[in-house]
Amino acid sequence: MANYTKISVADDARTELHDALNLTGAEVSINALPAGVGVPFFHAHKQNEEIYAILEGNGKAVIDGEEIALTAGDWLRVAPSAMRQFSASADSGIKYICIQVKADSLESYTADDAIMG
């Protein structure tokens, strides 16, 4: 059995990779909102922080009542307890990746977590 999983994803409005990649430490989703469309609800999390990577287009996030402009190339980290909602701008859709991980769980990274072979 291989020590990796590779998939290709369609250009859907939302693709969750947890089950497709058998993820064990993160949830990753790819999201696309057409121009003028927003997620129809605010939400927060119990344990998970979210990291957003804006791939294409423009939009905004409303986090704890504060409006933050988003454009391709932006990265945004949102604490678990923050209430958040995302929308595409009126004249441009937005495509983004959302990475969800348990807050305060990172113990080592990059070279500190490497085993050299």
Side-chain angles (χ1 to χ4, degrees):
M1 185 163 141
N3 283 329
Y4 64 89
T5 305
K6 178 186 175 194
I7 63 166
S8 293
V9 297
D11 200 16
D12 294 332
R14 180 174 171 87
T15 302
E16 293 183 358
L17 300 178
H18 178 267
D19 291 335
L21 290 175
N22 300 312
L23 300 176
T24 64
E27 171 61 290
V28 179
S29 63
I30 305 164
N31 304 271
L33 296 170
V37 173
V39 175
F41 56 87
F42 280 85
H43 76 285
H45 288 279
K46 296 173 187 173
Q47 300 183 65
N48 295 343
E49 65 186 4
E50 290 181 323
I51 301 99
Y52 294 87
I54 311 306
L55 302 175
E56 299 173 7
N58 299 293
K60 69 177 180 180
V62 178
I63 302 172
D64 290 338
E66 181 179 345
E67 191 172 301
I68 297 113
L70 300 171
T71 191
D74 287 348
W75 285 82
L76 176 68
R77 183 247 179 209
V78 182
S81 64
M83 293 299 292
R84 68 209 74 180
Q85 181 188 44
F86 289 79
S87 301
S89 65
D91 61 350
S92 169
I94 190 168
K95 186 172 186 177
Y96 58 92
I97 294 174
C98 177
I99 304 164
Q100 212 181 111
V101 295
K102 185 175 180 182
D104 301 316
S105 65
L106 185 63
E107 295 179 4
S108 60
Y109 55 93
T110 316
D112 291 340
D113 189 52
I115 299 171
M116 304 307 283

